[in-house]
Amino acid sequence: MLISQFENLKIELPVNSILYKKINEELTRKKVTLVAVSKKKSAQEIIELYNLGQKKFGENYVQELIEKQEQLPKDIHWHFIGHLQSNKVKYIAPFVSLIQSVDSKKILIEIDKQAKKNNRIIDCLLQVHIAEEETKFGFDENELQELFATNSTDNTNFENICIKGLMGMASFTHDREKIKKEFLLLKKLFDKYASFTIRNSQFTTLSMGMSSDYEMAIEEGSNMVRIGSLLFGERH
Ligand SMILES: *Cc1c(COP(=O)(O)O)cnc(C)c1O
């Protein structure tokens, strides 16, 4: 196993560059996009991965993201992956590359508005609630259905949003079968809505899989993974 093989290096280095290269090689071969999740990690640690060629980073908190964005190279593609409050959209709208965690129509409307103000189109993923835990955000199956069904008839245009696909997080459990079932459900929904269009949408991205389950997620059809602790070490 990769992880145990590099366990001692993981302790010596802040960023595991050997493991990064291995994972990056594997994902490139499988045509899966790697988003390095850098929440709670320093600008210095991000730069270490950046210098190895990583350009896409995921952050969960608005304040942390804007501070890092100011300090770090401008060709970094910042993905927002945490729960986003309406009143904070304006701070990230000028530069965010992909908002992966759109979990309500309300937030979609606000992103559209702020994107318009910045004269840009913001790429988004709809977050789907596939886990058992109540604490995870996202549309459930019915809400997703409703969003796609009503959009053709109501007057919400979303001219400044491009919906690129879906994102989901599996339950926090050791039960691999359960995780697999949740990934299968998300893939099924992705395939179902791939042919639907909300204005400007291009359904091409299925973001599922993290440090502990990304290999399984890829087997179930993921083409974007969000990996944090495996690359940066545990968060404290
Ligand atoms: C923190 C986080 C990740 C990364 O988790 P790791 O287990 O550290 O890889 C991925 N996706 C989301 C939405 C997260 O909040």
Side-chain angles (χ1 to χ4, degrees):
M1 268 290 286
L2 271 179
I3 303 173
S4 51
Q5 193 180 335
F6 293 104
E7 200 83 77
N8 41 358
L9 280 168
K10 203 170 166 179
I11 296 161
E12 286 167 28
L13 301 170
V15 167
N16 196 331
S17 60
I18 295 173
L19 190 51
Y20 169 74
K21 284 176 190 164
K22 281 258 175 203
I23 292 172
N24 196 34
E25 207 168 274
E26 175 197 351
L27 296 180
T28 305
R29 187 162 34 82
K30 293 179 174 168
K31 299 191 166 60
V32 174
T33 302
L34 172 61
V35 178
V37 175
S38 48
K39 63 177 172 225
K40 300 192 176 157
K41 296 295 167 181
S42 66
Q44 184 53 43
E45 287 167 292
I46 295 172
I47 278 292
E48 281 186 49
L49 265 200
Y50 174 87
N51 287 340
L52 296 172
Q54 182 63 26
K55 293 286 147 66
K56 295 183 170 76
F57 291 90
E59 287 284 339
N60 288 58
Y61 309 100
V62 169
Q63 187 57 35
E64 195 179 329
L65 172 55
I66 53 185
E67 281 168 19
K68 287 173 178 172
Q69 193 269 338
E70 280 168 11
Q71 295 174 44
L72 287 161
K74 295 299 171 249
D75 64 338
I76 288 181
H77 297 248
W78 293 105
H79 290 202
F80 194 80
I81 62 171
H83 178 60
L84 184 57
Q85 290 168 300
S86 292
N87 60 354
K88 301 219 170 131
V89 176
K90 58 177 175 288
Y91 301 117
I92 63 170
F95 66 85
V96 71
S97 159
L98 178 66
I99 300 176
Q100 297 206 14
S101 44
V102 173
D103 56 10
S104 67
K105 189 160 178 177
K106 182 174 166 235
I107 200 84
L108 214 46
I109 291 167
E110 180 63 19
I111 295 168
D112 186 47
K113 184 177 140 195
Q114 296 299 334
K116 208 164 283 161
K117 278 193 186 165
N118 285 278
N119 197 22
R120 58 186 299 239
I121 289 175
I122 296 182
D123 290 341
C124 293
L125 302 180
L126 303 174
Q127 182 172 355
V128 185
H129 188 282
I130 51 171
E132 203 164 70
E133 292 107 88
E134 289 287 326
T135 51
K136 286 186 177 142
F137 293 99
F139 290 93
D140 66 26
E141 273 187 79
N142 292 334
E143 290 165 340
L144 205 58
Q145 175 74 39
E146 203 177 309
L147 181 72
F148 281 98
T150 57
N151 192 261
S152 49
T153 52
D154 74 14
N155 53 11
T156 330
N157 271 324
F158 298 130
E159 282 178 2
N160 291 70
I161 281 177
C162 180
I163 296 176
K164 294 276 192 183
L166 303 180
M167 183 273 253
M169 280 170 98
S171 294
F172 186 70
T173 171
H174 290 296
D175 183 348
R176 308 295 285 178
E177 278 309 306
K178 183 174 171 58
I179 295 173
K180 187 173 170 164
K181 267 193 210 138
E182 292 172 355
F183 285 155
L184 271 169
L185 168 64
L186 189 57
K187 175 64 162 68
K188 205 181 85 192
L189 292 170
F190 178 73
D191 291 338
K192 176 176 173 184
Y193 292 112
S195 59
F196 281 62
T197 49
I198 290 183
R199 189 179 176 123
N200 280 332
S201 65
Q202 296 168 354
F203 241 64
T204 51
T205 304
L206 179 56
S207 174
M208 61 182 194
M210 325 198 325
S211 291
S212 58
D213 55 21
Y214 79 95
E215 281 160 317
M216 191 194 283
I218 293 168
E219 277 169 28
E220 302 312 327
S222 167
N223 58 22
M224 179 177 280
V225 294
R226 310 174 309 271
I227 301 182
S229 47
L230 199 54
L231 300 174
F232 287 105
E234 293 301 323
R235 286 177 295 272
H236 302 290

